[in-house]
Amino acid sequence: MYEALGLTDRQADLYEYLVQGQVRHRPQISRELNLEDTVVQDLLNALQELGLVVKDPDDPAAFSVIAPDLSLEALIRRKEGELQRMRLHSALLADRYRLTAHGRQARDIVEVVRGPSEVDARVRLIERQVTGQIEVLSAPPYSGGFTPSEDELGLLARGVRSRVIYSSEALSQDHAVQTLEQFRKAGDEARILPEVPMKMLIADRRIALIPLSSGQDAAAIVVHPCGLLDALCSLFASLWEKAKPYTGADQLPRAAGLTEDDRRLLHLLTSGLKDEAAARHLGLSLRTVRRRVAALMDRTEANTRFQAGYLLGLGSTTAPGRTPSRPAD
């Protein structure tokens, strides 16, 4: 069963053993399982690389299990991402096969746009022509900054449904929270994933644009109706189901005993911001942020700040929101 996640039989056996005991010392593990200490160390290192266990910073020989509902889910999503990328490659190969079989030209289904002005012009054209829905995968870097765009505001104003999935890294950009709030209030929708596989824009599920590079060497591919476009639409739909809805700060639930600053801090951290970025957004020192996070985790007996957010009721809300940076940036 665990082989689907990349674990060997020995690693899986050790993992389930650790789950039952929570915190274990390497010498104790070696004695109880009758294994060489070096073998146990190698197994623990492998589990740590997979994100299933964590080493105690105060005792290098002590290891504890990260809550399985969090760590195994993250590992499952990583493997699903690899399968999705293989599915896209399979669709591309199928299109190449059909082109050869029917004598069509590759430019009939996929074209390459080169140059920053050309890529930007194609993005604007696609946005002007969309009539029903636009779907976006977005992640840094953003050449134009993380600020509102009149074109994107115009999409919302004329009733186009806009759904965007952002990597958590996007939330650490300057002005991200303010921009998210502005677009949330305009009716835009957004969800957050720890990471997204690529930048992408899909318009009305009839055309897609995928940036290949940025800056002076900017280039993008434009995909017209074909098997590859169908696979890209399926990829977005799958990621949308897995992503966590972004929740506006003014719509966070009032967990008992939480101050407004605590609520904002947990909201930022459970959305994926790192401590440094959260400190910058809140105007607090890094030490203060870490002290407050530690206190909140102690209060909930949580293993991670994400778990603390869920235990305090900050992970079940579904209010939408979004940042408007184009995938071609």
Side-chain angles (χ1 to χ4, degrees), residues 87-102 104 109 226-228:
R87 183 174 289 112
L88 293 177
H89 186 64
S90 172
L92 180 59
L93 290 177
D95 284 327
R96 289 177 180 172
Y97 172 80
R98 284 192 289 270
L99 284 173
T100 303
H102 296 90
R104 296 172 62 198
I109 60 171
C226 62
L228 178 57

Side-chain angles (χ1 to χ4, degrees), residues 78 83 163 165 183 199 204 210 245 302:
R78 192 186 313 164
L83 291 174
R163 302 198 300 170
I165 302 173
F183 276 78
K199 294 185 180 184
D204 292 328
I210 303 173

Side-chain angles (χ1 to χ4, degrees), residues 277-304:
R280 184 168 65 251
H281 282 298
L282 296 174
L284 301 173
S285 69
L286 180 58
R287 177 178 295 182
T288 298
V289 165
R290 287 177 173 167
R291 176 173 52 79
R292 289 186 177 179
V293 170
L296 289 167
M297 290 178 66
D298 286 342
R299 171 181 169 183
T300 59
E301 299 183 355
N303 293 319
T304 69

Side-chain angles (χ1 to χ4, degrees), residues 37 44 86 110 127 135 174 185 193 258 273 276 326:
D37 190 67
L44 289 170
M86 190 62 235
V110 177
E127 289 180 338
E135 298 165 313
D174 290 339
K185 292 175 181 178
L193 280 177
L258 283 185
L273 261 69
E276 294 82 355
R326 292 192 184 94

Side-chain angles (χ1 to χ4, degrees), residues 17 24 26-35:
Y17 162 82
R24 296 278 189 171
R26 189 177 63 249
Q28 175 190 2
I29 298 171
S30 299
R31 288 193 306 271
E32 294 185 4
L33 298 183
N34 194 27
L35 293 172

Side-chain angles (χ1 to χ4, degrees), residues 263-279:
R263 292 172 58 251
R264 291 189 63 203
L265 173 59
L266 271 179
H267 168 58
L268 293 173
L269 294 178
T270 55
S271 294
L273 261 69
K274 296 181 179 178
D275 293 349
E276 294 82 355

